Amino acid sequence: MREFVFTVEYEKGADEVMDLFIEHPDLYARSMEINATSEAVWGIEKVVGPAAVLDEFDDALERVANDPSTIGMCGAPVTEYEYTTLSSNAESRKIHWLRREGNGPRSIPFIAAKHIGEGLIMRTERRDNQYRWRLLIDGTASETHEDVRANLREGLSLTVERLGTPPCLLEDGRVQQTLTPEQKSALEAAIERGYYEEPRQQSVTEIAEDVGVSRSTFQYRLNRAEAWLAQQFAADSLDVDLNVDLDLEDIEFIQ
């Protein structure tokens, strides 16, 4: 069993929803589950970001889903696009979606199902201009790679990152997501300005003004940085296995 990891990069203007990720570095999405057959692909995706950006994401998703001219990443027309918002709060959305595509070169999940077989394990991440795909495969990846590369529509490009042993099969296979530069800068600014001292030296509002961003954006970045630190502590000090993809927003407390 091997993990095939590749990234599709989007030029600005090539996709309305991906444009939001390009315009807003704090917007991030990852799949919780994806299933594909030769007829349909469906999954659950979690999207996190500042509240105002998530509102823009909601609007863009609705427009794309209702647009009869929507096409897939390889050019086939999208014949059905349904989605349901499973949960929503100020900083995240969980979305269940289903897509079908018509005749022509189809998108990555359909290609993978054709060459690798139905029931394959897939994971995705979206940030900036990158849509990263992870496939767990038993066999060759060359046909899938060649089919995707040959048919990506204009404005999209493909980069293969790795083909090897999946981290989950290694002795210590945690995949630890790193902080974004914006989240790291927010954490550093909070530390430098005494946000964590007792008594607190500066408030979130004051620090946000100092660094030149809105209070809500700074608060969001700091919250995400703190959540990342908590995950590392849970993994390293509390014997919590992060291979099960724990989500601190879904867990009130880790004992």
Side-chain angles (χ1 to χ4, degrees):
M1 191 69 69
R2 295 182 297 169
E3 185 184 49
F4 181 30
V5 184
F6 56 95
T7 297
V8 178
E9 294 188 353
Y10 285 71
E11 295 179 4
K12 186 74 165 59
D15 182 276
E16 181 178 0
V17 175
M18 284 303 297
D19 280 350
L20 286 175
F21 289 88
I22 296 172
E23 294 164 3
H24 303 284
D26 287 323
L27 190 62
Y28 171 75
R30 63 174 173 82
S31 63
M32 304 175 72
E33 182 175 359
I34 299 178
N35 296 280
T37 70
S38 59
E39 300 298 324
V41 56
W42 63 96
I44 299 174
E45 186 174 37
K46 180 168 185 177
V47 187
V48 297
V53 180
L54 288 175
D55 289 342
E56 290 186 55
F57 178 86
D58 293 339
D59 293 340
L61 186 61
E62 183 174 4
R63 285 193 297 272
V64 170
N66 293 319
D67 185 352
S69 64
T70 297
I71 59 174
M73 62 178 61
C74 291
V78 175
T79 58
E80 182 180 355
Y81 193 169
E82 300 178 357
Y83 75 93
T84 303
T85 301
L86 302 176
S87 66
S88 174
N89 59 48
E91 292 189 354
S92 72
R93 305 283 191 273
K94 286 182 183 174
I95 297 169
H96 175 272
W97 51 266
L98 178 144
R99 289 175 60 147
R100 301 180 192 272
E101 295 184 3
N103 296 328
R106 293 180 172 182
S107 298
I108 286 173
F110 296 100
I111 295 173
K114 178 177 72 173
H115 293 299
I116 301 171
E118 298 181 355
L120 72 164
I121 298 175
M122 293 182 285
R123 297 289 303 275
T124 63
E125 292 178 284
R126 291 198 273 180
R127 175 177 280 147
D128 297 325
N129 70 330
Q130 298 186 337
Y131 201 153
R132 179 171 290 108
W133 291 76
R134 300 176 184 270
L135 278 62
L136 203 59
I137 64 175
D138 185 12
T140 179
S142 59
E143 290 181 327
T144 300
H145 171 253
E146 291 170 5
D147 211 346
V148 174
R149 183 180 294 277
N151 293 298
L152 281 176
R153 57 184 171 84
E154 186 177 354
L156 281 62
S157 59
L158 179 70
T159 300
V160 175
E161 297 188 19
R162 67 184 299 269
L163 178 61
T165 303
C168 62
L169 299 183
L170 299 176
E171 183 176 351
D172 183 13
R174 289 200 312 268
V175 180
Q176 298 189 7
Q177 296 176 5
T178 60
L179 297 176
T180 66
E182 293 78 15
Q183 292 163 3
K184 182 178 179 181
S185 295
L187 185 61
E188 290 174 345
I191 293 171
E192 290 170 357
R193 289 165 174 78
Y195 179 75
Y196 296 106
E197 295 180 10
E198 184 64 40
R200 181 167 289 167
Q201 301 301 305
Q202 280 191 270
S203 67
V204 166
T205 301
E206 292 169 330
I207 301 172
E209 186 176 349
D210 284 350
V211 299
V213 299
S214 69
R215 183 195 184 284
S216 61
T217 295
F218 183 82
Q219 182 71 73
Y220 168 79
R221 293 174 179 176
L222 189 60
N223 288 350
R224 300 307 298 176
E226 290 171 344
W228 182 84
L229 289 174
Q231 283 185 315
Q232 306 315 304
F233 175 76
D236 295 333
S237 301
L238 301 180
D239 266 344
V240 176
D241 183 5
L242 292 190
N243 280 332
V244 298
D245 202 18
L246 291 177
D247 185 339
L248 293 185
E249 293 186 6
D250 298 332
I251 300 173
E252 293 184 0
F253 190 77
I254 298 177
Q255 199 82 22

